[in-house]
Amino acid sequence: MDEQRHETTALLGPAHPLLSDKEHECLSSYVRKCDRRLMFYLCMGYATDSLNKMALSNAKIAGLTSDLNLRGTDINWALGAYYLGCFVFQLPSNLILKKVRPTYWLSGSIFCWSLVTILTAFVTSARQLIWCRFVFGAVQAGYLTGSIYYISFWYPRHMVRRRMGFFFASAGLGGIWVGPLCSVLTSMDSKWLPWQRIFVVIGAISLLWSLLGPFVLADYPDTASFLSSDEQQLILKIMEHQNTVASTQQVRFVQVKMALLDFKVWLWTAIDFCANAATQVNGMFGPSIIESHGYSPQTAQALTALTNFMAFSGMASIAYTARILRGSSTAIALSNILTICGFLLALCSSNPNVHILALFVFSFASPQPAAHGPAWQMCNLQGNTKPAMAAAMASAFGGLGPLATAFVYRDEDRPQYTRGHLVCLLMTVACFVVTLVLRRVLAKENRRRDLDCGDLEGMSDEQVQDLADNHPHFRYRL
């Protein structure tokens, strides 16, 4: 409680009165309600997203390749089509969120991708499979960035990073489930082929979850029926100071332009691009890598529960590692170093056991920068439109990183996968370098503002709001 009181007081600043003990209790009650209701739904939704994304990699070793007569890079195109769909539809997704009720947008995204996954069970050719995955990426595009933006206007700035950690960790939770589930589905007898059962059952699970959305989610804090009036007034007070009250603000195209021209946003996007390339190796090719060392498809699917548990553990730790290491940038750099060690281990040995160990190492470390990056970014952006646009940019262009991964891990390179490991190693090194550059840029800007607080005299309230994180009193978190 003392730590929360200190951080909240620092957030409100000297221009605001200190929160009373009653207000701190009210804030704690508000956060508990949001965590139990909103965060739980968002996290489980993202876990089902992970199930749906990994369905293809598990279906691949369950007979999909032979039954559809896939040749050459057909499966790589199917894996990559998802990220192309995300890229095309990612940028406008958060702007649409400003026009559509978040409750319907987020639960509707889950509903749509669930239907696409179920329909994928009935494709009969490589072309149909590729198009299904493209559409899956298109309808899923709004959920990740929409959830990130949604979290940012429900929680005070200093609380966002921990919630982001839980949110991204839930993807690993879905990964833990998908391996054993697919192993069971592959072993069952029914009129459907094993890979068809995988798509139908996983799609049905997420579809059922989507139907709960309209009853669980609320659009904005000041319109949420599950909050008391005192809780609504308090969070409105904090969010007004942060300039993140979403319900009363419209899309500001001046802030869209600011996001596009802010080179710091592009550095965060570069971090996402490089980090995501390594992050998706386990999700897209984990079952294939394990199977290539002589394991049966069912055993390989079951073993991915362990690699995904490593990914879950890594992502669940991000809220705490950032605090212990005093900054997201340091946490990203450390996880980059661990990821590099994992890929070097895979490249420098031909021993199958060492390869499996390497898979465990980079499955644990590589997802952390992909989770730290968006959390770091959202903690350092203000305004009602700039954070949404920046999140969409990072997710869209950053999401192209796995597109490269989809084409460098080829069946012809089994079991070493030298080309794929080398590309991901180089991308991780690039992520490490960009992180250090961005940290230096933010620290330099903070020092400049400490020396020159700026002059807001003569500016209207609207002009001050449009300064966003360029406001002279704003300080970046490292």
Side-chain angles (χ1 to χ4, degrees):
M1 177 66 75
D2 290 339
E3 182 179 4
Q4 182 178 357
R5 179 181 291 109
H6 172 74
E7 289 188 333
T8 306
T9 301
L11 171 70
L12 292 176
H16 292 262
L18 298 179
L19 295 182
S20 65
D21 289 339
K22 182 179 179 180
E23 286 177 316
H24 280 292
E25 292 176 3
C26 184
L27 180 60
S28 297
S29 173
Y30 167 84
V31 171
R32 283 195 301 270
K33 289 180 180 180
C34 292
D35 285 346
R36 293 171 182 173
R37 190 183 184 106
L38 308 181
M39 283 304 304
F40 181 74
Y41 183 85
L42 292 177
C43 288
M44 290 301 100
Y46 199 47
T48 66
D49 172 48
S50 182
L51 284 174
N52 283 259
K53 281 194 292 189
M54 294 184 182
L56 179 57
S57 60
N58 283 276
K60 176 191 173 187
I61 63 173
L64 173 73
T65 303
S66 57
D67 290 339
L68 295 186
N69 195 29
L70 301 183
R71 300 180 181 276
T73 58
D74 286 344
I75 192 66
N76 301 89
W77 276 107
L79 289 165
Y82 162 78
Y83 296 100
L84 284 175
C86 282
F87 172 72
V88 172
F89 290 92
Q90 194 81 256
L91 285 175
S93 64
N94 273 14
L95 299 182
I96 296 174
L97 182 63
K98 295 290 293 181
K99 299 292 185 181
V100 180
R101 289 183 59 184
T103 297
Y104 295 144
W105 178 255
L106 295 173
S107 59
S109 294
I110 302 176
F111 182 84
C112 290
W113 84 52
S114 303
L115 285 180
V116 175
T117 298
I118 293 172
L119 292 174
T120 305
F122 305 102
V123 300
T124 57
S125 66
R127 184 184 297 272
Q128 292 176 4
L129 177 64
I130 291 169
W131 274 109
C132 275
R133 296 303 288 183
F134 178 84
V135 175
F136 173 65
V139 297
Q140 188 271 349
Y143 188 78
L144 174 58
T145 53
S147 296
I148 292 172
Y149 185 44
Y150 185 75
I151 292 169
S152 74
F153 59 69
W154 276 90
Y155 288 92
R157 179 184 171 213
H158 69 282
M159 296 182 181
V160 168
R161 183 167 58 198
R162 178 176 294 183
R163 273 73 197 175
M164 291 288 192
F166 295 146
F167 178 73
F168 281 101
S170 63
L173 190 62
I176 294 172
W177 300 337
V178 73
L181 175 61
C182 290
S183 181
V184 171
L185 293 173
T186 302
S187 304
M188 290 172 57
D189 291 325
S190 77
K191 63 179 180 180
W192 287 333
L193 296 169
W195 61 270
Q196 290 178 312
R197 292 195 291 270
I198 290 173
F199 285 119
V200 170
V201 172
I202 286 178
I205 291 171
S206 55
L207 188 145
L208 291 174
W209 187 253
S210 72
L211 299 179
L212 297 176
F215 304 100
V216 175
L217 296 177
D219 293 324
Y220 306 105
D222 49 335
T223 61
S225 61
F226 66 89
L227 297 176
S228 68
S229 59
D230 289 342
E231 291 166 344
Q232 289 176 332
Q233 292 173 9
L234 178 60
I235 196 63
L236 186 63
K237 171 185 178 180
I238 296 173
M239 294 309 200
E240 281 179 342
H241 182 64
Q242 292 183 175
N243 192 20
T244 53
V245 181
S247 62
T248 59
Q249 298 176 327
Q250 302 299 316
V251 174
R252 298 287 298 168
F253 287 100
V254 64
Q255 292 189 29
V256 172
K257 181 179 179 181
M258 286 173 62
L260 290 170
L261 297 180
D262 189 343
F263 77 98
K264 297 187 296 297
V265 172
W266 288 106
L267 289 177
W268 269 304
T269 300
I271 290 172
D272 265 17
F273 177 85
C274 296
N276 280 325
T279 298
Q280 297 301 326
V281 173
N282 179 51
M284 287 195 288
F285 297 102
S288 297
I289 292 173
I290 295 173
E291 187 206 24
S292 70
H293 290 294
Y295 293 92
S296 68
Q298 291 89 343
T299 302
Q301 289 167 335
L303 285 175
T304 57
L306 299 179
T307 59
N308 283 302
F309 176 76
M310 297 298 293
F312 169 75
S313 302
M315 287 187 286
S317 68
I318 76 162
Y320 305 99
T321 55
R323 176 177 295 180
I324 293 170
L325 297 173
R326 299 183 179 276
S328 294
S329 59
T330 308
I332 292 174
L334 178 60
S335 56
N336 283 153
I337 293 172
L338 290 174
T339 304
I340 289 170
C341 292
F343 283 117
L344 287 175
L345 198 62
L347 287 167
C348 296
S349 175
S350 58
N351 187 307
N353 294 327
V354 174
H355 272 229
I356 300 298
L357 175 62
L359 178 62
F360 273 76
V361 172
F362 61 71
S363 292
F364 170 78
S366 64
Q368 295 181 43
H372 276 296
W376 188 22
Q377 183 185 51
M378 295 307 293
C379 286
N380 283 308
L381 294 176
Q382 279 194 328
N384 69 303
T385 303
K386 185 177 180 182
M389 187 63 186
M393 289 166 59
S395 187
F397 290 100
L400 290 178
L403 185 61
T405 307
F407 288 96
V408 295
Y409 282 85
R410 300 183 179 183
D411 285 343
E412 63 194 58
D413 297 327
R414 293 160 54 101
Q416 296 295 114
Y417 291 103
T418 302
R419 172 169 36 193
H421 291 330
L422 181 59
V423 169
C424 288
L425 171 65
L426 295 175
M427 296 279 259
T428 305
V429 172
C431 181
F432 178 79
V433 172
V434 175
T435 299
L436 296 184
V437 170
L438 180 56
R439 177 188 172 90
R440 183 177 179 84
V441 167
L442 297 182
K444 183 178 180 180
E445 180 62 18
N446 282 344
R447 289 194 296 270
R448 186 191 68 80
R449 294 181 187 183
D450 288 340
L451 296 174
D452 181 10
C453 293
D455 185 8
L456 303 179
E457 188 176 351
M459 297 182 69
S460 66
D461 290 342
E462 189 174 77
Q463 288 174 322
V464 172
Q465 287 183 347
D466 283 338
L467 288 174
D469 49 280
N470 291 326
H471 194 290
H473 297 163
F474 184 88
R475 295 296 181 272
Y476 294 105
R477 295 184 173 217
L478 305 182

